[in-house]
Amino acid sequence: MSQSNLLHFLAPNSRLAPDVTFQVTPSSSTTPVTIPAHKCFLATASSVFDKMFFESDNSRGQGTVIEVKNIEEKVFRMFLNHIYGKELVLEELADVPSAIGLFQLMEQYDIVELKEQILARIKSQKVEKDNYVTIVNLVGQCEDHSEGKDVLQSMVSSYLQETLGMSLSKLTMFMTEHGGMDGQAMVSVLGMVGKMVGKVSGGKGDSKEVEMFINGMEDMVITGTKDKVIMGTEDKPLPYIPPHRRQIESVDSSIESGDQE
């Protein structure tokens, strides 16, 4: 069939009734968007869809609803239109979330022809203060063995290296300035910093203090004891705090009051 005919089947007045429905829910909403499609076209483009629709007794002869989470409607429609024959314009992937969302769909449904180009598009983006938290949260949304996750982690690690070096005082200020991360995202970032620290030979100076700081922060996030965090001052960086402590008091106030447990 020609490209225009395939795209025409997605129109509301198409003579070929859809037999599968996608419920697409973006990360910013709890209300899904309903997008109809056709099993035959999806199965032709993807072995994953083919197995899902025609090698499973449960799906034969009946409608199918597929949930798609943490993907924007615009990105999913780009993915679906590509399956139906529309040329994908990579320049329309304006930001990292859009590119990684499309890559995840291509990866999940084993549509391989554009994966490398989309990865290159992601790599061409730059991590900055304004999009840092968004990209870190994307890392947590990716599957563990996803190539997209590896690329995002590499981008964040490079940003951390450029911004922090191995200075604990910079790390404390960095964590304060780049707020908005949930516990999972914070542990992910601390893990990346930990890998950077592991490359420093000798474990001396700031690198050792950073490692101790990371261990304490990870323990508190994982065990849910992070009631309050007040970072140390630039000239008196925060020391390691055992995981049973429920608060981190600022170094200055601790020294003045002498009330540390």
Side-chain angles (χ1 to χ4, degrees):
M1 292 184 182
S2 69
Q3 174 178 315
S4 59
N5 285 339
L6 287 177
L7 289 173
H8 175 71
F9 288 130
L10 290 175
N13 60 349
S14 170
R15 290 176 295 174
L16 181 63
D19 54 1
V20 60
T21 300
F22 291 94
Q23 297 282 359
V24 181
T25 306
S27 57
S28 59
S29 174
T30 57
T31 304
V33 176
T34 300
I35 300 178
H38 306 86
K39 294 179 181 179
C40 57
F41 299 141
L42 297 173
T44 299
S46 162
S47 60
V48 175
F49 282 129
D50 184 54
K51 183 177 181 179
M52 182 188 303
F53 298 143
F54 301 113
E55 295 183 24
S56 171
D57 293 336
N58 293 331
S59 65
R60 288 181 178 274
Q62 58 182 320
T64 303
V65 176
I66 301 175
E67 293 186 353
V68 179
K69 296 183 178 181
N70 297 321
I71 299 293
E72 296 296 324
E73 177 187 355
K74 177 182 177 181
V75 173
F76 186 82
R77 289 192 183 277
M78 290 176 66
F79 168 75
L80 189 62
N81 289 345
H82 173 69
I83 288 178
Y84 277 68
K86 183 177 179 180
E87 182 179 358
L88 183 64
V89 181
L90 293 179
E91 286 71 24
E92 293 180 2
L93 299 172
D95 51 29
V96 176
S98 297
I100 199 67
L102 184 59
F103 180 82
Q104 285 180 285
L105 290 169
M106 296 288 189
E107 195 171 46
Q108 179 178 354
Y109 295 108
D110 197 27
I111 299 178
V112 300
E113 64 267 19
L114 291 175
K115 283 175 61 177
E116 291 303 318
Q117 293 94 315
I118 297 174
L119 274 181
R121 180 71 177 175
I122 296 170
K123 292 177 182 178
S124 70
Q125 304 297 307
K126 186 175 179 61
V127 180
E128 299 173 329
K129 183 177 179 179
D130 290 342
N131 65 6
Y132 165 81
V133 172
T134 297
I135 293 176
V136 169
N137 289 333
L138 285 173
V139 173
Q141 294 173 12
C142 292
E143 297 293 332
D144 287 342
H145 302 293
S146 167
E147 290 182 73
K149 182 171 186 173
D150 293 339
V151 169
L152 291 178
Q153 286 181 325
S154 177
M155 292 168 61
V156 173
S157 294
S158 296
Y159 177 68
L160 291 171
Q161 181 67 58
E162 293 172 2
T163 307
L164 295 176
M166 286 298 115
S167 170
L168 179 55
S169 60
K170 288 184 179 180
L171 176 57
T172 60
M173 288 187 291
F174 180 91
M175 298 298 284
T176 300
E177 292 174 356
H178 294 71
M181 291 182 290
D182 58 20
Q184 180 182 8
M186 185 177 292
V187 170
S188 177
V189 172
L190 292 173
M192 295 180 204
V193 176
K195 290 179 181 179
M196 292 160 50
V197 172
K199 297 178 181 179
V200 178
S201 61
K204 299 179 181 179
D206 274 354
S207 64
K208 186 63 176 178
E209 292 173 346
V210 171
E211 184 175 6
M212 293 169 67
F213 174 86
I214 290 169
N215 291 338
M217 287 293 290
E218 285 184 333
D219 285 335
M220 284 184 298
V221 172
I222 292 171
T223 58
T225 60
K226 183 180 170 235
D227 296 330
K228 180 175 65 175
V229 175
I230 304 176
M231 300 302 183
T233 61
E234 183 170 357
D235 60 331
K236 295 178 181 178
L238 193 65
Y240 171 73
I241 303 296
H244 67 273
R245 290 288 301 279
R246 291 186 173 272
Q247 292 185 342
I248 297 179
E249 303 292 344
S250 69
V251 174
D252 283 342
S253 63
S254 297
I255 292 175
E256 291 173 1
S257 65
D259 291 333
Q260 275 190 328
E261 294 179 5

